[in-house]
Amino acid sequence: MYRPKPYCISRKSVQEAYLKIKANKGAAGVDKMSMEAFDMQCQKHLYKLWNQMSSGSYMPPAIKLVEIPKKDGGKRPLGIPTVTDRIGQAVVSVRLGEVVDNLFHEDSYGYRPKKSALQAVAKARERCWVYNWLLDVDIRGFFDNIPHDLLMLAVEKHTDEDWMVLYIKRWLVASLELEDGTIVPRAKGVPQGSVVGPVLSNLYLHYAIDMWLKANYPDHAFERYADDAVIHCRTEEQAIHLKESLGKRLKECGLEMHEDKTKIVYCKDSNRRGETEKAVTFDFLGYTFKPRQALNAKRKVSFTNFLPAVSTKAMKAMNEKLNKLPILRIAGIEIEAVAKEMNPVLQGLINYYGKFHSSKLKGFLRGVNAKLANWAIRKYKGLRVSVTSAMKWLKRLYKRKPKLFAHWTFGSKPTMELR
């Protein structure tokens, strides 16, 4: 005799979640099951997951914790759920996102459909021309310290579906498995790397910061991407007051402002000549905002403008990523194969960091030509006389195939300048 499931979860939603997780790829979790292995019996695994979630019996396994390098030299903890668990989280994430996304502030840009980090950078640039000051906000260990009780109040406010509440609670307290196999229980925080984490963290900061600013500081525009936020002020006094007040607000929400990294910034340019001991530069989403030389609309008069360009930290991370490409250490292949491997990486950098003050990125990408020259020296004995010979070879290649590498078409063609 058929017994109806206590929770109404469609099999279609599980199938769609699976396709979404498959497209994103990702590493295996604590069960060591890769996406390729899951695919071999996907319908069996998906039915089991749907059956368990619909009956209320699904229990999330531990989350595999790994540490990945940060741009500033530190390490960021990253949680890796199992493939099955990621699919289950995606079912809830999609459903909850459909409910809460329309509630979010228009200047909340992180992990939202039709919103992007570049939009946040563009809006920050625009507002830095209008507001003289800003508060560059940093929350200490945000994802690791979100209080579960306050977060669940926000979740329960926006859904009356018991199964969603049940599984979110279970995911929040799922244990962590460290790299040495140690199991660590959790009483707060949302693991970075979890599928449901972005919508939960966005929902929490929607109330902790966005709505608080709207109610108490309606004249202070802001841009927020997850926990990375800048808030614009008219005067230094406003910025000082806001910093103190926001610090208190974060404490009320179980969070802590990072005093050393949260700073008041003066958006100095040719029209703002006053001297200050406060900072005149800040980093936001991989871009450094600072006074830079620019040309007016007729490109005749130079002046100082407050503009974003790719940050030093981002360039360091990009350089490390390029150096790790195995293709550059293989001499026994053709240059076309090198281009095929490198171009997706180069184009990704250009698409993101080439949007604002692109001359900074072009200068960095010219250094890629030196890497290509070093590859050519290893491949061709005749070029081992000097790096200059290799650069001449690269210039000849550029003349024959100017579109071979993505950064060449971007304006970083080979020159005799060695970087």
Side-chain angles (χ1 to χ4, degrees):
M1 179 178 178
Y2 173 75
R3 295 181 180 179
K5 304 290 185 183
Y7 300 126
C8 184
I9 303 172
S10 71
R11 295 182 66 174
K12 180 181 178 182
S13 67
V14 177
Q15 181 71 27
E16 290 174 345
Y18 157 67
L19 294 175
K20 179 179 179 181
I21 296 303
K22 182 178 180 178
N24 292 336
K25 301 180 181 179
V30 294
D31 63 355
K32 300 181 180 180
M33 180 183 289
S34 65
M35 179 58 74
E36 291 76 13
F38 186 96
D39 286 342
M40 293 176 68
Q41 293 184 301
C42 66
Q43 293 309 314
K44 173 185 174 182
H45 296 309
L46 293 176
Y47 178 81
K48 181 179 179 181
L49 174 64
W50 168 79
N51 191 41
Q52 290 180 335
M53 291 188 72
S54 299
S55 65
S57 63
Y58 177 71
M59 300 298 295
I63 298 171
K64 181 180 178 181
L65 189 69
V66 298
E67 292 185 322
I68 58 175
K70 295 172 62 176
K71 292 177 182 178
D72 60 5
K75 290 187 176 182
R76 184 189 306 279
L78 181 67
I80 304 177
T82 64
V83 173
T84 300
D85 204 39
R86 292 203 294 271
I87 295 169
Q89 289 188 34
V91 173
V92 173
S93 177
V94 170
R95 189 75 159 264
L96 183 60
E98 291 171 348
V99 174
V100 301
D101 190 73
N102 289 333
L103 303 171
F104 291 159
H105 195 281
E106 62 180 357
D107 285 313
S108 170
Y109 294 89
Y111 314 121
R112 298 182 61 192
K114 299 181 181 180
K115 293 282 189 177
S116 70
L118 282 176
Q119 288 177 340
V121 174
K123 184 58 71 173
R125 180 184 66 158
E126 175 186 317
R127 286 172 172 160
C128 284
W129 297 337
V130 177
Y131 295 81
N132 290 356
W133 295 83
L134 66 79
L135 183 66
D136 179 18
V137 181
D138 189 280
I139 303 174
R140 189 189 296 273
F142 166 67
F143 289 95
D144 295 332
N145 291 294
I146 299 176
H148 289 172
D149 56 344
L150 295 180
L151 174 58
M152 289 310 303
L153 285 177
V155 170
E156 291 168 2
K157 177 181 175 68
H158 296 292
T159 181
D160 56 2
E161 298 190 67
D162 293 341
W163 66 273
M164 291 177 62
V165 174
L166 172 69
Y167 289 123
I168 289 173
K169 285 181 177 179
R170 289 180 181 177
W171 281 314
L172 288 177
V173 297
S175 300
L176 297 176
E177 182 180 292
L178 306 185
E179 294 185 67
D180 64 0
T182 304
I183 301 297
V184 179
R186 293 171 46 242
K188 61 179 180 178
V190 175
Q192 295 187 63
S194 64
V195 178
V196 76
V199 67
L200 293 179
S201 58
N202 245 355
L203 180 60
Y204 194 76
L205 286 180
H206 171 73
Y207 288 108
I209 294 181
D210 301 357
M211 291 300 97
W212 177 82
L213 284 172
K214 184 177 181 180
N216 296 280
Y217 298 91
D219 296 331
H220 290 44
F222 70 91
E223 297 82 40
R224 182 177 65 78
Y225 191 97
D227 62 325
D228 202 349
V230 292
I231 308 171
H232 302 271
C233 306
R234 300 286 181 184
T235 66
E236 182 180 7
E237 289 72 21
Q238 286 182 349
I240 293 172
H241 173 75
L242 177 63
K243 182 179 180 182
E244 181 181 355
S245 185
L246 180 59
K248 293 178 181 178
R249 170 61 179 176
L250 291 175
K251 283 186 178 179
E252 293 172 355
C253 298
L255 302 172
E256 180 185 359
M257 177 183 287
H258 198 307
E259 290 292 336
D260 295 336
K261 293 184 178 181
T262 298
K263 60 182 180 179
I264 296 170
V265 180
Y266 182 47
C267 304
K268 190 173 183 178
D269 60 21
S270 290
N271 296 321
R272 298 163 177 159
R273 300 180 181 179
E275 295 299 321
T276 179
E277 294 182 357
K278 292 292 192 295
V280 293
T281 179
F282 70 96
D283 283 4
F284 184 51
L285 301 176
Y287 279 86
T288 294
F289 285 69
K290 62 183 286 188
R292 301 180 190 275
Q293 288 304 112
L295 295 175
N296 65 5
K298 295 183 179 180
R299 301 188 67 80
K300 291 183 179 180
V301 180
S302 175
F303 68 103
T304 302
N305 202 352
F306 198 79
L307 296 170
V310 57
S311 70
T312 301
K313 288 181 182 178
M315 287 190 290
K316 180 181 178 182
M318 287 189 289
N319 195 51
E320 290 175 351
K321 185 174 185 177
L322 289 170
N323 287 338
K324 290 179 180 178
L325 289 177
I327 200 76
L328 288 173
R329 295 189 290 274
I330 303 173
I333 56 174
E334 298 304 317
I335 190 67
E336 289 78 11
V338 177
K340 184 178 180 180
E341 186 80 11
M342 291 186 67
N343 277 341
V345 177
L346 294 171
Q347 193 61 58
L349 301 179
I350 291 167
N351 290 347
Y352 187 78
Y353 293 108
K355 294 297 183 183
F356 305 102
H357 208 72
S358 61
S359 59
K360 185 84 171 179
L361 180 63
K362 288 177 181 178
F364 167 79
L365 289 175
R366 281 194 289 272
V368 175
N369 295 324
K371 299 181 190 298
L372 295 174
N374 287 329
W375 173 86
I377 288 172
R378 291 192 297 272
K379 180 175 177 64
Y380 301 109
K381 292 182 179 179
L383 300 180
R384 295 174 186 174
V385 178
S386 67
V387 178
T388 302
S389 300
M391 290 302 294
K392 287 181 178 179
W393 173 85
L394 202 61
K395 284 186 67 177
R396 292 193 298 270
L397 177 65
Y398 166 74
K399 289 180 179 179
R400 295 198 312 272
K401 299 181 177 182
K403 297 182 179 180
L404 182 60
F405 284 92
H407 67 299
W408 289 356
T409 59
F410 182 62
S412 299
K413 63 183 182 181
T415 67
M416 294 313 298
E417 176 187 356
L418 302 180
R419 296 177 61 83

